[in-house]
Amino acid sequence: MQFDKRAWIDKVRQMFAGFDRPLALIVFLLLCVGIVTLYSATIDMPGKVEDQLRNIMLTFVLMWAIANIPPQSLMRFAVPLYSFGVALLIAVALFGVTKKGAKRWLNVGVVIQPSEVLKIATPLMLAWYYQRREGGLRWYDFAAGFVILLVPVALIAKQPDLGTAMLVFATGLFVIYLAGLSFKLIVPVLAAGVIAVAMIATFESRICQPQVQWPLMHDYQKHRVCTLLDPTSDPLGKGFHTIQAVIAIGSGGPVGKGYLKGTQAHLEFIPEKHTDFIFAVFSEEFGLVGGLVLLTLYMALIVRGLFISAQGSTQFARLLAGSLTLGFFVYAFVNVGMVSGVLPVVGVPLPFMSYGGTALITLGVAIGMIMSVGRQRRLMKS
């Protein structure tokens, strides 16, 4: 039997027809940079790179599978996945595993963190909701959307897990805004936030006293904000993370100290250097130039994702792809901000860079959904 090279190539192309090539290339480059940086960060932790490579392989399989599922089929998972995720969060509140003062995990034979499911399920559910009400939105539809959003956010914040709650809230809020929420309603909230930040910075010396209780916030959250304002107030405690990360970034200079030559990382000054603070390792070794290249890759990912979103064939597709894409912006912005000492430390990983299987798989699923939207548009044109 003669080997038909053209038929084999066509079959391979058909298998990967769901992949958006520019988006896949950007993700691939980010993963390559991540593995290179992770090797440097974990040179004294054998096995981490191998584990991450396995996580990447699983992520690409899931990404490929989801990219080939039509958006109409993804809609069918919205209500079951959201309901299942909220049920798991309630189970965590009742029977969860507590570690380091936080009840975020559930033991079902294996220990899982259900809040990760809601990073995908919440925007999926909201996009489904607004698809069903396309063309006739009323004020109560936006109120209902906020209820759908705030249920998982409140359950996650109670664990407490402020970082994940913030990410879920942001992706959900993007859906509601893209569905048609007036920006005039958002401006007062933003203004109140700016005023609150200014007041905290102005009266930091008074309100950060140990005897002062902050409403709606745990003591450790208050301590993080106060440490952000003045890291030297706790240089060997909560402020240690910020101080050492800022030193690492600053010591990298314009072009960095060179690969594997970062002293802050290799002398164990940077905490969580392979997870939340991997940007500090990268910046120390590759400097400002490397940091700008990395941020350019994230910007390219966001621009491509928004382009795919704008081309979506349905309201559901546009809302889902747009919110997930803007979610990547929040991921990168919050992580770089907290490592640079601009934002409080909230435990948000850097997309496709930080070590960790669960977060990487969640990000891969999100990319697969964005690619699914792009694939549907290409099929309609062909």
Side-chain angles (χ1 to χ4, degrees):
M1 182 176 178
Q2 187 175 4
F3 175 72
D4 191 341
K5 182 178 179 181
R6 182 177 294 275
W8 184 83
I9 293 175
D10 289 341
K11 184 176 290 188
V12 172
R13 285 179 177 175
Q14 187 175 2
M15 286 178 60
F16 290 93
F19 268 30
D20 181 82
R21 293 180 184 177
L23 188 58
L25 176 61
I26 295 167
V27 171
F28 176 75
L29 291 174
L30 285 170
L31 288 169
C32 289
V33 174
I35 283 293
V36 168
T37 309
L38 183 65
Y39 176 80
S40 177
T42 61
I43 199 166
D44 56 343
M45 305 178 194
K48 294 294 185 183
V49 172
E50 291 80 359
D51 289 345
Q52 188 73 344
L53 287 172
R54 285 192 292 269
N55 294 334
I56 290 173
M57 292 177 63
L58 176 59
T59 298
F60 261 96
V61 171
L62 288 172
M63 191 188 303
W64 169 79
I66 293 172
N68 285 283
I69 299 176
Q72 295 90 333
S73 298
L74 292 176
M75 283 183 64
R76 300 172 187 168
F77 293 98
V79 176
L81 187 62
Y82 176 83
S83 302
F84 179 66
V86 170
L88 287 178
L89 290 179
I90 294 173
V92 168
L94 297 175
F95 318 109
V97 177
T98 302
K99 298 179 182 178
K100 297 181 179 179
K103 189 187 288 187
R104 304 175 185 173
W105 300 270
L106 193 64
N107 192 338
V108 292
V110 293
V111 178
I112 61 173
Q113 188 173 355
S115 58
E116 290 291 328
V117 177
L118 274 303
K119 291 179 181 179
I120 299 296
T122 302
L124 187 66
M125 177 68 181
L126 285 166
W128 170 86
Y129 177 80
Y130 286 112
Q131 169 68 36
R132 291 173 61 88
R133 283 152 181 78
E134 183 180 11
L137 291 176
R138 300 292 185 268
W139 67 267
Y140 47 80
D141 291 313
F142 294 109
F146 274 105
V147 171
I148 293 172
L149 172 58
L150 292 178
V151 168
V153 169
L155 289 170
I156 295 170
K158 187 174 176 57
Q159 293 179 352
D161 188 353
L162 186 60
T164 302
M166 180 176 58
L167 292 173
V168 173
F169 180 80
T171 53
L173 183 61
F174 288 137
V175 176
I176 297 173
Y177 173 69
L178 294 173
L181 181 67
S182 174
F183 190 70
K184 295 178 181 178
L185 299 176
I186 300 177
V187 170
V189 178
L190 293 176
V194 171
I195 293 172
V197 171
M199 294 293 287
I200 291 173
T202 303
F203 299 101
E204 177 265 336
S205 60
R206 297 182 183 178
I207 62 177
C208 286
Q209 295 300 320
Q211 68 273 15
V212 178
Q213 296 293 322
W214 287 17
L216 304 177
M217 294 189 73
H218 294 273
D219 287 339
Y220 81 93
Q221 293 168 341
K222 167 197 167 185
H223 194 48
R224 283 181 176 177
V225 175
C226 292
T227 303
L228 170 68
L229 296 172
D230 183 15
T232 59
S233 63
D234 189 12
L236 299 179
K238 297 295 183 181
F240 184 81
H241 295 65
T242 302
I243 292 171
Q244 298 304 323
V246 170
I247 291 174
I249 294 172
S251 65
V255 295
K257 295 179 177 178
Y259 186 52
L260 301 178
K261 296 180 180 179
T263 54
Q264 291 295 113
H266 295 152
L267 294 178
E268 303 297 331
F269 284 107
I270 301 177
E272 306 295 337
K273 58 184 179 179
H274 62 300
T275 53
D276 296 344
F277 284 80
I278 197 167
F279 181 73
V281 178
F282 177 85
S283 296
E284 184 181 20
E285 297 188 352
F286 296 99
L288 176 63
V289 173
L292 291 176
V293 171
L294 181 62
L295 294 179
T296 300
L297 285 175
Y298 282 119
M299 185 59 65
L301 185 150
I302 293 163
V303 170
R304 183 61 186 176
L306 290 177
F307 175 80
I308 293 173
S309 171
Q311 299 296 312
S313 57
T314 64
Q315 171 88 330
F316 170 82
R318 291 190 293 272
L319 293 179
L320 181 63
S323 63
L324 292 176
T325 299
L326 292 172
F328 281 102
F329 167 78
V330 175
Y331 262 98
F333 178 80
V334 171
N335 180 275
V336 173
M338 75 176 192
V339 173
S340 304
V342 177
L343 297 174
V345 177
V346 291
V348 173
L350 188 60
F352 304 113
M353 291 277 291
S354 296
Y355 172 83
T358 306
L360 183 61
I361 289 172
T362 303
L363 295 169
V365 169
I367 290 292
M369 289 182 170
I370 296 171
M371 288 183 175
S372 170
V373 173
R375 175 178 180 270
Q376 183 72 8
R377 185 66 178 179
R378 291 195 300 273
L379 290 176
M380 291 180 65
K381 287 183 177 180
S382 60

